[in-house]
Amino acid sequence: MDYEFRRNTLDDSFHVTLSMGHEALGRWLIDELATDHAEIDRVLENLNRVIEHGGEWNRPGKVFLLQLTQEEAVVQANAMLENHDEEMPEHDFHAYEEESVSVCGPEDLLLVLEAWQDFIRRYGR
């Protein structure tokens, strides 16, 4: 998975771009973790535990849900979990789904999170 981290020096905001299919993961990093070092540490601790010992761990957030197993890490928009009375047209739903769900291996998520943590420590205030 390819990624790029940036910091806007004008407003001190952080941005992340991930490879196609992982847009939701990038939004999750910004919307749910941002520069919260304690929360990043908590996610890393649980991610390492799941990788090493198995089991599952979920982290519900304001916008996204992170679901971890030894086989995969899924970031999914909470809106995708809600039941909708109206069906979205198939072509509209596919584009929405691509930006709302990311699936990767837990080791890939670990690499991205460690790189993100290093980036915000290095370039944060």
Side-chain angles (χ1 to χ4, degrees):
M1 169 185 346
D2 295 325
Y3 53 86
E4 179 183 1
F5 304 137
R6 294 180 311 280
R7 179 177 159 253
N8 182 334
T9 56
L10 296 176
D11 66 4
D12 282 332
S13 62
F14 288 89
H15 303 276
V16 60
T17 304
L18 278 91
S19 53
M20 185 183 274
H22 297 100
E23 296 89 349
L25 177 56
R27 287 189 49 218
W28 175 76
L29 278 172
I30 296 298
D31 294 345
E32 301 290 346
L33 299 181
T35 60
D36 185 341
H37 296 285
E39 188 59 21
I40 294 168
D41 287 340
R42 187 172 87 86
V43 172
L44 284 169
E45 180 181 316
N46 283 287
L47 177 56
N48 279 309
R49 183 184 48 77
V50 168
I51 290 171
E52 293 173 17
H53 303 290
E56 298 180 1
W57 185 71
N58 294 329
R59 183 197 178 273
K62 297 172 282 194
V63 180
F64 289 94
L65 169 68
L66 170 65
Q67 299 172 302
L68 297 175
T69 67
Q70 219 169 8
E71 292 78 34
E72 66 182 7
V74 179
V75 171
Q76 185 171 11
N78 293 336
M80 295 287 293
L81 303 171
E82 299 172 1
N83 292 328
H84 296 284
D85 294 336
E86 283 185 32
E87 287 292 322
M88 204 183 279
E90 186 62 34
H91 65 279
D92 291 341
F93 184 73
H94 183 67
Y96 176 73
E97 186 177 62
E98 285 182 358
E99 296 175 3
S100 301
V101 177
S102 292
V103 179
C104 64
E107 291 84 2
D108 292 329
L109 178 60
L110 181 65
L111 292 174
V112 170
L113 276 176
E114 288 175 339
W116 176 249
Q117 184 179 51
D118 182 54
F119 183 80
I120 63 173
R121 281 189 175 140
R122 184 176 304 157
Y123 297 105
R125 296 187 221 183

